[in-house]
Amino acid sequence: MCGIVGYIGKKQAKDYLLDGLESMEYRGYDSTGIAVLDKKSINLAKVVGRVEHLRKAERENPSKGHAGIGHTRWATHGGVTKNNSHPHHDQNKEFYVIHNGIIENYQEIKAYLTKQGVKFYGDTDTEVIPNLISELYKEHGDVQKAFKAALKSLRGAYAIVMITSHDPGNIYAAKFSSPLAIGVAEDGMYIGSDAMPILPHTKQVVFLEDNEGAVVSCNSYELFHIKTDKSIKRPTELLEIEHEAAEKGDYPDFMIKEIHEVPQTIRATMLGRLRADEGIVKLGGLEEVRDQLDYIDRIVVLACGTSYYAGLVGEYLLEEISNIPVEVQQASEFRYRQEPLSRSTAVLVVSQSGETADTIAALKKIEGSGILTLGIVNAPGSTLARMTDAGVYCHAGPEKAVASTKAFVAQVTVFLLIALHLSKNYRNFDKLIAELDSLPQKIEEVFAQEEKIRKLAEKYSTANDFLYIGRRYAYPLALEGALKLKEISYIHAEGFAGGEMKHGPLALIDKNFPTFAFALSNDLDEKLVSNMQEIHARDGKIVVVVDEGKSEAAKLSEDTIVIPKVSEQLQPLIGVVPAFLFAYYAAKRLGRDIDKPRNLAKSVTVE
Ligand code: F6R
C-alpha cells in the first residue's frame, strides 16, 4: 500500500525519492509522484502508473533541489487519477504534503475550509491537510506553529511529510498509527514509511512513535509530542539489518521466483536454530522471555490473510507438539471483540510485512495489559517486530510478489520450531527434527513436476469456480490454496475442511465445479476419500495432491500430483508448493498481472 519517502540534504533529492519509491513498489500502488523544493519554488511531478513512468517524466523535465517528498498511492478516497495522487498542495501551492492512512474527520475539515473559500481539486482526504496548514499559517505566521496546530485537528491514521516554500530549510513529519522513520546520514536525512528505502543510505534510524512529529533539517531532527508540543529526545538506533535487494533474475515474475525459493527459505529459517545433530531447537529471540513462557497456558494467534492461515497450521502444531491450547483469530475481528484475556495467555502476532494495520491495532489493544506479546515477523525492524516483547524472525528475505508464498512457508517453519522448542515430552521429537533437516531436499523434488502442474493449471484455468479441501493439517492448506488461486487468477475459489462438504458446499458440485484436494497420508485417509467419493458421485472433477503410495484418492481423481511422503506435521510445508504452482500457472495462462494483482497491496497499512 501507499509508500512515503522524503529527503533533505546535500544531494539532489529526486534521486533518493525515485529509488526509494521503486524499493517500495512491491507494496502495491496505482499512482506515484514527487515534489521537490528548490529555494522558494516547488516542482511537482505525478503520474498514474508505475515509478518507471515517473522516472521518464523526470528525465524529460528534471526536478532540481535538495529537499523533497515522494509517494506511491493505493487509492482509498477518490479514484485512481493524477489529481488524486500525492503529493497534494494547498490552493496557493505553498504547502505540499504526502500522507499514508486515512483522515477520518476530513469531511468536517473540508466543510470548514470550504466555508473559508478554499477550492479543492481532487477527492482525497489528504488534500485537506495542506489547506488546513495554509489557513493556520495565515493565523500564526509561522510554519512550525501552523503544522502543529493542524495536527491537533486531525483524527484517524496518518504518516505525513510536508515541504513548504515558506521554510525551505526544513521538512516536517508526523505520525499516528502509520509507520514513519528518519534515517540520519552524513549527506542528509532520509525519510521512509519503512526501512527499505533508507537502508541503502544509512542504518542509523529514528522511528517516530504515535502522536509524534518531527522538524527535520539537513543535519538534525527535532521530535515533539503532537498533543503536548513537548520536545522529545530520542537518539537514533542502529538497524541490524542488511540491505537485501531482490531482483527477478531469469524469472518472469517475483512470485515464481519466490516459490522456487521455498527450499532455501526453510534452510534459512532453520539456520542456527535447528541443531539436528544435538537434537535441540534453539530460539535466541525467545531466550529473554523463557521464564514467562513456562507460565503460559494459552496462546492467542492474531494475523490476517495468508499469515492467518499459517497461524491455523501453527495451532495444530503447538497443540499437538507443545500441548498448549491455541486459538487463532483474524486480527481485523479481534481488534473489535470484547474478549477477556488472562495474564497467563500469550498473544502471538504473525505478519510478513510487520506493518499490517489490523494486526498492529489488535496488538495495541492489549498494550499495557501485562500480557506477553510475541511475534513471527519477516520484515526486520518493522512496527510489529518492534512492538512485541519477543519473537522469532522468519528470515525469508524480501518478498516482492503481492501473493505471499515463501513467507507462508517460513511462518509455518517458525511455528514448528517454536512448537518443538516449547515441547516437553513429545514422542516424535527426534524423528521430526531429523526429518525437518532433510525437508528442503524433498521439496526440491516437487519442482520436477512443475511442467505437469503447469499443464494441469492451464487445463483448469477456464473454470469459474474452484473448491479446495483438506483435513486436519491440510485444512489450512485448502484455505491458503484457494486464497492464492483467487487473488492472482481472479477465479472464484473457496477452501473447506473435507468433513464440511455435506454441510453445504456439496450443493455446488457439478461437472463444471472442480475440486483441488489434499489427500496426504494420515489417519483420516479414509474419511477424506469418502468426501472425495461424494464429489466424484456428482460428476465433480478432482485434482488431487497425494503422497507416494496413495492410490485410493488418485483413483477418484481426474488428475493427480504426487509429492514425497513426510510426517503429517510437515505436510503443509511441502503440500502447499503444488498449490502455489497451480495458482501461478492458472493466472499466467489468463494473462494476469501476477506480482501486482488488481485491487491488492502487499502491505495493508490502512484498515
Ligand atoms: C495473500 C497475502 C495477504 C497477506 C495479509 C497479511 O497472499 O499476501 O493475505 O498475507 O495481507 O499480511 P502480513 O503478513 O504482511 O501481515
Side-chain angles (χ1 to χ4, degrees):
M1 259 178 187
C2 309
I4 276 183
V5 283
Y7 175 79
I8 182 160
K10 297 177 185 159
K11 302 204 285 198
Q12 285 296 324
K14 81 162 186 339
D15 298 331
Y16 168 65
L17 300 181
L18 292 171
D19 290 349
L21 291 176
E22 215 156 56
S23 75
M24 289 189 294
E25 277 196 301
Y26 71 98
R27 294 164 67 121
Y29 68 106
D30 42 54
S31 52
T32 179
I34 59 172
V36 177
L37 176 64
D38 189 19
K39 298 187 188 90
K40 289 241 142 195
S41 74
I42 294 177
N43 190 49
L44 177 67
K46 308 206 270 195
V47 296
V48 168
R50 305 276 181 229
V51 177
E52 64 184 86
H53 302 131
L54 186 62
R55 269 195 195 282
K56 187 162 171 281
E58 276 293 306
R59 273 195 296 274
E60 284 157 16
N61 181 17
S63 301
K64 287 200 196 74
H66 298 270
I69 53 180
H71 191 262
T72 45
R73 173 175 188 249
W74 191 85
T76 53
H77 290 63
V80 181
T81 64
K82 196 167 160 179
N83 250 359
N84 287 338
S85 65
H86 299 217
H88 285 290
H89 55 76
D90 65 304
Q91 61 177 0
N92 301 322
K93 300 192 177 168
E94 293 166 350
F95 297 88
Y96 285 70
V97 164
I98 48 175
H99 162 224
N100 282 359
I102 291 172
I103 303 300
E104 284 164 5
N105 59 337
Y106 85 100
Q107 293 285 21
E108 218 176 280
I109 301 174
K110 197 168 181 174
Y112 160 75
L113 291 169
T114 308
K115 266 198 198 145
Q116 309 303 308
V118 174
K119 299 262 178 302
F120 290 88
Y121 55 79
D123 317 308
T124 67
D125 52 336
T126 304
E127 203 186 329
V128 301
I129 306 172
N131 281 297
L132 182 62
I133 298 170
S134 167
E135 281 298 300
L136 290 162
Y137 180 71
K138 283 185 208 154
E139 192 182 321
H140 294 282
D142 177 277
V143 175
Q144 227 180 96
K145 282 188 184 147
F147 184 67
K148 288 180 176 174
L151 294 176
K152 290 197 176 75
S153 306
L154 303 180
R155 269 206 325 272
Y158 55 79
I160 294 169
V161 188
M162 177 191 85
I163 52 171
T164 170
S165 52
H166 290 290
D167 186 5
N170 287 312
I171 291 193
Y172 291 78
K175 102 137 202 150
F176 183 78
S177 231
S178 285
L180 200 59
I182 306 168
V184 177
E186 283 282 294
D187 55 8
M189 300 286 173
Y190 295 83
I191 296 174
S193 47
D194 65 41
M196 281 285 239
I198 299 174
L199 273 176
H201 305 276
T202 176
K203 288 188 178 176
Q204 290 293 343
V205 175
V206 58
F207 288 96
L208 267 68
E209 300 289 342
D210 279 352
N211 278 316
E212 286 183 2
V215 184
V216 186
S217 71
C218 258
N219 47 23
S220 69
Y221 62 89
E222 282 168 28
L223 304 183
F224 61 88
H225 195 277
I226 293 173
K227 298 238 162 87
T228 62
D229 284 348
K230 279 204 180 123
S231 115
I232 297 164
K233 294 267 166 276
R234 183 168 323 115
T236 56
E237 54 186 275
L238 180 69
L239 278 191
E240 308 273 5
I241 313 170
E242 286 316 313
H243 169 62
E244 291 179 82
E247 304 296 337
K248 268 191 245 173
D250 292 334
Y251 291 96
D253 312 276
F254 276 111
M255 183 176 171
I256 190 69
K257 174 175 182 259
E258 287 159 4
I259 297 172
H260 276 264
E261 283 171 358
V262 163
Q264 79 192 52
T265 299
I266 297 180
R267 286 190 190 102
T269 306
M270 296 191 305
L271 190 69
R273 294 165 168 172
L274 180 82
R275 313 255 177 101
D277 42 350
E278 296 167 57
I280 56 166
V281 173
K282 203 162 164 40
L283 296 175
L286 298 185
E287 260 341 281
E288 257 182 58
V289 296
R290 186 65 242 197
D291 291 348
Q292 276 166 281
L293 282 171
D294 284 340
Y295 293 100
I296 291 306
D297 58 13
R298 178 177 178 241
I299 296 178
V300 172
V301 177
L302 303 176
C304 298
T306 287
S307 299
Y308 168 74
Y309 296 146
L312 291 178
V313 179
E315 178 175 17
Y316 286 90
L317 290 170
L318 282 161
E319 292 196 341
E320 180 177 348
I321 299 174
S322 338
N323 203 24
I324 302 174
V326 176
E327 191 188 338
V328 193
Q329 293 195 32
Q330 283 155 341
S332 54
E333 283 299 307
F334 176 85
R335 64 184 288 191
Y336 296 115
R337 267 176 80 157
Q338 303 303 321
E339 184 183 347
L341 293 180
S342 76
R343 291 283 290 275
S344 54
T345 298
V347 163
L348 169 56
V349 290
V350 188
S351 175
Q352 189 288 124
S353 63
E355 303 294 354
T356 299
D358 282 319
T359 316
I360 292 172
L363 193 58
K364 274 194 181 151
K365 196 177 121 177
I366 52 157
E367 236 174 14
S369 63
I371 286 172
L372 177 67
T373 60
L374 306 169
I376 297 179
V377 175
N378 190 37
S382 56
T383 303
L384 285 168
R386 285 181 291 113
M387 276 174 77
T388 39
D389 296 326
V392 182
Y393 276 122
C394 291
H395 294 321
E399 189 181 61
K400 295 275 185 171
V402 163
S404 188
T405 53
K406 64 173 181 169
F408 170 84
V409 172
Q411 290 164 344
V412 172
T413 307
V414 172
F415 267 114
L416 197 46
L417 294 176
I418 294 178
L420 289 165
H421 182 72
L422 297 180
S423 73
K424 301 246 158 55
N425 292 311
Y426 180 54
R427 62 187 190 294
N428 286 330
F429 187 93
D430 293 337
K431 178 172 180 271
L432 266 196
I433 285 205
E435 219 185 319
L436 198 47
D437 199 36
S438 61
L439 184 71
Q441 180 61 41
K442 288 200 169 159
I443 296 177
E444 263 149 25
E445 291 169 30
V446 177
F447 291 106
Q449 299 203 57
E450 187 165 347
E451 189 50 21
K452 176 177 179 186
I453 299 172
R454 180 181 68 77
K455 288 192 179 133
L456 284 182
E458 289 178 355
K459 170 175 158 190
Y460 286 95
S461 64
T462 52
N464 292 321
D465 309 278
F466 238 102
L467 208 68
Y468 280 68
I469 57 166
R471 297 193 77 140
R472 214 151 63 188
Y473 282 94
Y475 165 50
L477 275 195
L479 298 172
E480 170 60 7
L483 176 66
K484 219 85 309 175
L485 185 70
K486 75 181 114 181
E487 71 181 325
I488 59 164
S489 74
Y490 319 148
I491 296 171
H492 167 238
E494 298 300 331
F496 282 94
E500 280 296 293
M501 288 302 291
K502 281 198 228 40
H503 303 292
L506 203 52
L508 296 168
I509 298 297
D510 64 16
K511 64 180 180 359
N512 299 317
F513 203 127
T515 298
F516 193 107
F518 295 94
L520 301 168
S521 306
N522 62 27
D523 53 11
L524 295 178
D525 278 356
E526 286 168 12
K527 298 198 184 293
L528 189 85
V529 167
S530 320
N531 302 144
M532 291 171 67
Q533 251 150 1
E534 288 153 9
I535 294 169
H536 184 66
R538 285 155 186 85
D539 296 331
K541 296 195 173 46
I542 303 173
V543 183
V544 72
V545 180
V546 295
D547 47 24
E548 286 150 6
K550 296 256 342 260
S551 55
E552 213 40 53
K555 271 188 220 150
L556 292 167
S557 304
E558 171 113 345
D559 293 290
T560 308
I561 301 165
V562 187
I563 62 171
K565 190 168 182 170
V566 295
S567 288
E568 191 188 357
Q569 297 79 5
L570 307 190
Q571 284 169 357
L573 294 167
I574 190 164
V576 79
V577 175
F580 286 162
L581 290 170
F582 188 83
Y584 173 81
Y585 283 112
K588 194 81 188 159
R589 175 57 164 233
L590 295 167
R592 308 299 191 215
D593 187 353
I594 292 189
D595 286 341
K596 299 186 182 76
R598 69 183 184 200
N599 308 337
L600 297 181
K602 181 73 186 159
S603 203
V604 186
T605 50
V606 293
E607 187 178 0

